[in-house]
């Protein structure tokens, strides 16, 4: 049973305050279609929401969990309605506390939270949010994103992006030779008693002038195609998603040239029947975020959409399983760092003319 229930109007349509220097969408891009949000949660600008993950209980209730960087906590929403339910944690270095939490991921009943300024990944049990342990504090310098996959029962391969920077304002990209530390790999195991064990498996990242990972955050993988997509956000060079194998080798491929007009941000894999599916990648635009879809196998662009409200998105969470309000699943997104929004996947399929296999 969740405690600390907080009343909030989940149908609020918050006013959009574009950044001082909004990025215009590219004039040559294919037509962007509109998919209306099913809800927009109540605003909480003090939180500075960043990344999202979902978890479903045995009775079918789905939680949407967001990291809140400025208030150093997690914010928990009802995924079906956007109603704010509770907060978890607070600022500090102790177990169960956070310092700039960013990336977040769920595996079974375990929650993984990346803390940029505590330089670690904390693990919690769900739904009680009980701290189980942490790892990475010896290697991580400025971690952001996380993605994980099960390699065998009770054993995970965890990938964490590490976007450490130099200079007084921490805005100077490290020398190319150091960019081989942009993604760090860990092996995480849970024994029969639920105890956490972890080991460091090294780092990787291309170090070439053309394709070095300069500023990294979002990361996601596709075990069926031995593919990791890593977002490079540095628009001073080229912001895109670069393709790596699970062994950490850069394949030489990136998403199509000029796919992103702003920063390449959140990324998620939408797996469909018969091995098909789509990558969904965020183009962090204002006044409206654009969500680009690419073929799972070929990475060819298949369409783009925007909402009526959602802007300046950081993280997304793709929940392809059925919920009470979303029988065909939902895409959840952060709106302007202050609320969460939801898109019905059946509407995305209809509007973009995608394969019906994705909603069966």
């Amino acid at each position: 049973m969740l405690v600390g229930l907080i009343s909030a109007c989940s149908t609020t349509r918050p006013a959009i305050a574009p950044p001082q220097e909004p990025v215009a969408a590219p004039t040559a891009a294919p037509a962007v279609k509109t998919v209306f949000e099913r809800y927009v949660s109540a605003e909480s600008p003090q939180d500075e929401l960043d990344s999202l993950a979902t978890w479903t209980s045995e009775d079918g209730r789905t939680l949407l969990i967001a990291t809140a960087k400025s208030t150093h906590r997690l914010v928990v929403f009802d995924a079906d309605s956007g109603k704010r339910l509770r907060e978890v944690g607070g600022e500090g270095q102790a177990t169960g506390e956070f310092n700039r939490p960013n990336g977040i991921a769920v595996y079974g009943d375990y929650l993984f939270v990346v803390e940029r300024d505590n330089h670690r990944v904390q693990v919690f049990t769900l739904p009680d949010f009980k701290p189980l342990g942490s790892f990475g504090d010896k290697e991580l310098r400025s971690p952001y994103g996380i993605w994980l996959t099960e390699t065998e029962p009770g054993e995970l391969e965890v990938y964490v992006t590490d976007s450490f920077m130099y200079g007084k304002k921490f805005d100077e990209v490290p020398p190319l030779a150091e960019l081989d530390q942009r993604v760090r790999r860990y092996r995480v195991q849970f024994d029969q008693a639920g105890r956490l064990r972890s080991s460091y498996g090294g780092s990787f990242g291309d170090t070439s002038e053309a394709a070095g990972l300069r500023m990294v955050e979002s990361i996601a993988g596709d075990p069926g195609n031995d593919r990791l997509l890593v977002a490079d956000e540095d628009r001073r060079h080229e912001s895109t998603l670069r393709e790596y194998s699970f062994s950490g080798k850069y394949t030489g491929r990136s998403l199509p040239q000029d796919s992103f007009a702003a920063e390449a941000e959140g990324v998620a894999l939408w797996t469909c029947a018969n091995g098909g599916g789509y990558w969904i990648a965020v183009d962090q635009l204002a006044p409206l975020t654009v969500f680009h879809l690419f073929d799972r196998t070929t990475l060819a662009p298949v369409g783009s959409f925007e909402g009526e409200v959602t802007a300046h998105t950081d993280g997304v969470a793709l929940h392809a399983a059925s919920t009470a309000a979303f029988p065909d699943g939902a895409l959840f997104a952060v709106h302007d760092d202050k609320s969460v929004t939801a898109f019905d996947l059946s509407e995305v399929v209809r509007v973009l003319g995608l394969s019906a296999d994705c909603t069966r």
Side-chain angles (χ1 to χ4, degrees):
M1 177 71 68
L2 291 173
V3 297
L5 189 66
I6 298 177
S7 176
C9 177
S10 63
T11 58
T12 302
R13 295 285 186 178
I16 299 173
Q20 293 181 351
E21 298 180 6
V23 182
T27 56
V32 177
K33 298 186 178 181
T34 299
V35 178
F36 295 103
E37 295 91 344
R38 283 282 298 275
Y39 67 69
V40 181
S41 74
E43 294 183 4
S44 58
Q46 72 278 7
D47 282 322
E48 194 181 1
L49 302 177
D50 189 273
S51 298
L52 302 171
T54 60
W55 175 83
T56 301
S57 65
E58 290 184 359
D59 63 4
R61 187 183 193 189
T62 302
L63 302 181
L64 178 62
I65 308 166
T67 53
K69 295 184 292 188
S70 289
T71 51
H72 309 282
R73 61 189 180 185
L74 307 179
V75 180
V76 184
F77 300 88
D78 183 302
D80 280 321
S81 67
K83 188 174 186 178
R84 188 174 179 129
L85 301 177
R86 63 175 293 193
E87 296 84 30
V88 177
E91 186 174 7
Q93 299 179 343
T95 300
E97 296 178 332
F98 303 105
N99 196 347
R100 297 287 291 186
N102 199 294
I104 188 170
V106 167
Y107 163 73
D109 292 335
Y110 298 107
L111 176 69
F112 293 71
V113 181
V114 178
E115 298 176 71
R116 190 194 71 179
D117 291 353
N118 275 337
H119 319 293
R120 65 185 179 185
V121 180
Q122 277 202 83
V123 184
F124 299 79
T125 56
L126 293 171
D128 56 4
F129 292 91
K130 179 180 178 181
L132 190 62
S134 64
F135 61 90
D137 56 294
K138 294 181 180 179
E139 302 86 22
L140 295 170
R141 299 168 64 180
S142 190
Y144 279 84
I146 184 172
W147 182 80
L148 51 84
T149 185
E150 185 179 54
T151 53
E152 59 182 76
E155 182 171 304
L156 305 176
E157 192 87 347
V158 180
Y159 298 86
V160 182
T161 55
D162 198 354
S163 200
F164 58 91
M165 302 287 279
Y166 293 144
K168 292 182 179 179
K169 297 182 179 179
F170 299 99
D171 58 355
E172 296 178 12
V173 175
L176 291 173
E178 295 185 35
L179 299 185
D180 62 358
Q181 302 174 57
R182 278 309 193 220
V183 183
R184 302 191 190 275
R185 182 193 288 114
Y186 295 88
R187 175 170 293 181
V188 174
Q189 298 172 305
F190 300 97
D191 63 22
Q192 293 183 347
R195 290 184 294 262
L196 172 72
R197 292 186 295 170
S198 66
S199 60
Y200 180 51
S203 65
F204 61 85
D206 189 73
T207 58
S208 69
E209 175 67 32
L213 293 171
R214 286 161 169 78
M215 294 172 59
V216 291
E217 184 165 351
S218 300
I219 182 172
D222 180 2
N225 289 293
D226 188 26
R227 174 177 287 153
L228 283 168
L229 291 185
V230 186
D232 190 337
E233 300 179 9
D234 191 356
R235 296 182 62 238
R236 296 169 296 185
H237 181 253
E238 179 187 15
S239 186
T240 188
L241 291 166
R242 302 201 182 276
E243 180 190 45
Y244 283 76
S245 67
F246 277 27
S247 66
K249 181 180 180 181
Y250 176 52
T251 67
R253 299 180 65 191
S254 301
L255 289 188
Q257 184 74 19
D258 301 325
S259 291
F260 298 91
E263 293 181 2
E265 274 280 358
V267 58
L269 176 64
W270 185 0
T271 302
C272 307
N274 303 317
Y278 306 98
W279 287 97
I280 302 178
V282 168
D283 201 347
Q284 197 184 48
L285 290 159
L288 293 173
T289 293
V290 175
F291 301 89
H292 299 300
L293 276 72
F294 302 88
D295 182 86
R296 176 186 181 182
T297 303
T298 67
L299 299 183
V302 297
S304 301
F305 74 91
E306 62 189 10
E308 184 182 34
V309 174
T310 308
H312 209 241
T313 296
D314 281 307
V316 295
L318 192 285
H319 188 86
S322 177
T323 76
F326 301 97
D328 295 312
L331 174 70
F332 301 101
V334 170
H335 162 58
D336 206 21
D337 297 343
K338 58 189 177 184
S339 59
V340 295
T341 66
F343 296 91
D344 191 322
L345 289 184
S346 63
E347 273 297 285
V348 176
V349 168
R350 184 187 67 81
V351 172
L352 295 186
L354 304 179
S355 171
D357 289 342
C358 292
T359 53
R360 289 177 181 171

